[in-house]
Amino acid sequence: MSSMLKSLSVMMIASSLAIAGGDSDVINYVKKKLDRNPNVKINSAEVVDKLPIPGIKGWSAYVIGLDINLTRGKETRQINFEDILFVSKNLITSELIDRKTGRDVRSMIQPKLPKDIYNKSNLIYGNENAAHKLILFSDPLCPFCRMYVPEVLKAVKNNPEKMALYYYHLPLKAIHPASETLVRIMEVAQKEGKYEIIDKMYKIKIDAKLKDEKKILDIVAKQTGYKLSSKQIHEPWVDKRILKDRLTARKLLVTGTPTIFVDGKKDVTRDKYKQFIKK
């Protein structure tokens, strides 16, 4: 989640606990918190979903969808985002921690997968009829992704009948500005069936904070041999694909990378795919 959205979430749940009732009470609570900020205008707020929390009785995870206008100086931006509140009969909190594991319960919550999650345009390796399906959200300049993702790619390439990998771009632009251009290049490569470019992006040497698009294109061309123009990576279909991936991440409450789902379930260990590797 971006720092701006995090600050909104903190502001929204400024007091850690409050009395809760039905859905309307939860929404009223959210609106009252946001209304305290004169720079925020609420367009809509709704309960998108209510999800059980595995192993925790008496609490539900409320997925709250928000559409707001945020004004900073002379600029006003419309922002759509979703956040989670944990609700019991009498309490609301923005954070729950499992005392035994120390794990944030938020990581255990999973909304329903979109019907089109296994879209052919996102399939980069493996057989679509494979017994096991992986969904991966990644940023090629995320340091942990650069260690983790190449191993996943290799595993699926070597076991195509057992696994299919559906890749979703989630560039963390606030941290790695250069990743926005890289994922555009990757989108074009995917459409052309040049999946090896995806592998190469995880090895490319580049300053993650670089914003000059022409320089980024030149670096990619020099290191991978794959040459594209600014026009090619800004075609309308590229914009649509990137937006779709971003919206899919939002629906699934994915805010960090890498995030992987194995056979429809979020894998917080990130290691379950290894059991399908040929021995």
Side-chain angles (χ1 to χ4, degrees):
M1 184 183 292
S2 70
S3 58
M4 179 171 63
L5 295 191
K6 281 185 178 178
S7 64
L8 282 171
S9 297
V10 170
M11 173 189 68
M12 186 174 75
I13 319 299
S15 57
S16 61
L17 295 173
I19 300 301
D23 291 7
S24 60
D25 289 340
V26 175
I27 293 302
N28 287 336
Y29 173 71
V30 170
K31 287 182 176 179
K32 284 180 181 178
K33 294 300 177 185
L34 285 174
D35 279 340
R36 292 179 183 176
N37 189 328
N39 296 320
V40 174
K41 177 181 177 294
I42 304 170
N43 300 318
S44 66
E46 62 177 339
V47 175
V48 177
D49 207 351
K50 285 187 288 186
L51 304 167
I53 304 174
I56 299 180
K57 296 181 179 179
W59 289 84
S60 296
Y62 276 55
V63 182
I64 309 298
L66 287 157
D67 182 322
I68 67 170
N69 287 345
L70 178 64
T71 300
R72 283 184 171 178
K74 296 182 180 180
E75 181 186 5
T76 297
R77 292 176 57 192
Q78 184 176 5
I79 302 173
N80 294 284
F81 69 101
E82 290 163 0
D83 201 10
I84 293 177
L85 292 179
F86 299 105
V87 181
S88 70
K89 183 178 180 181
N90 297 312
L91 300 170
I92 299 175
T93 181
S94 60
E95 186 175 41
L96 274 183
I97 304 296
D98 186 315
R99 290 177 61 181
K100 292 182 179 179
T101 65
R103 180 183 295 167
D104 187 339
V105 173
R106 183 177 295 259
S107 67
M108 300 162 59
I109 304 305
Q110 181 187 316
K112 296 176 183 176
L113 295 178
K115 292 181 180 179
D116 63 346
I117 191 73
Y118 299 117
N119 192 301
K120 279 190 176 182
S121 63
N122 294 93
L123 177 64
I124 61 170
Y125 288 125
N127 190 316
E128 64 179 317
N129 295 316
H132 305 286
K133 292 180 170 59
L134 313 182
I135 302 164
L136 179 65
F137 291 87
S138 181
D139 175 338
L141 294 181
C142 157
F144 189 52
C145 290
R146 290 172 78 85
M147 293 186 289
Y148 175 77
V149 173
E151 291 299 317
V152 178
L153 299 179
K154 181 180 178 181
V156 178
K157 281 191 287 184
N158 290 341
N159 299 271
E161 298 306 316
K162 289 187 176 181
M163 292 183 279
L165 178 61
Y166 294 81
Y167 186 102
Y168 283 81
H169 297 288
L170 187 59
L172 306 177
K173 295 187 291 182
I175 308 171
H176 318 124
S179 64
E180 174 69 13
T181 298
L182 294 188
V183 299
R184 288 179 173 277
I185 295 169
M186 292 164 75
E187 283 284 9
V188 177
Q190 279 176 247
K191 188 174 183 181
E192 294 179 353
K194 298 179 179 179
Y195 302 119
E196 71 279 3
I197 297 301
I198 295 172
D199 298 63
K200 290 180 179 179
M201 289 301 185
Y202 284 91
K203 299 174 183 177
I204 197 167
K205 295 178 181 179
I206 193 170
D207 180 355
K209 297 190 180 298
L210 184 61
K211 296 180 180 180
D212 188 315
E213 187 172 270
K214 186 179 184 305
K215 287 184 179 179
I216 297 170
L217 288 168
D218 288 343
I219 290 171
V220 171
K222 184 176 180 180
Q223 294 188 32
T224 70
Y226 190 53
K227 298 180 181 180
L228 291 174
S229 67
S230 291
K231 181 180 179 181
Q232 286 175 292
I233 66 171
H234 285 283
E235 293 285 351
W237 69 265
V238 178
D239 294 337
K240 289 180 181 178
R241 288 272 290 266
I242 291 175
L243 176 60
K244 181 178 180 295
D245 283 9
R246 187 176 293 124
L247 291 176
T248 301
R250 199 178 81 189
K251 287 177 183 176
L252 291 176
L253 302 176
V254 174
T255 57
T257 58
T259 295
I260 190 168
F261 293 75
V262 177
D263 293 335
K265 295 183 179 180
K266 185 189 294 184
D267 176 17
V268 295
T269 71
R270 302 190 180 100
D271 284 335
K272 289 183 179 178
Y273 78 92
K274 291 180 180 178
Q275 63 187 297
F276 311 132
I277 296 175
K278 200 182 303 178
K279 296 181 180 179

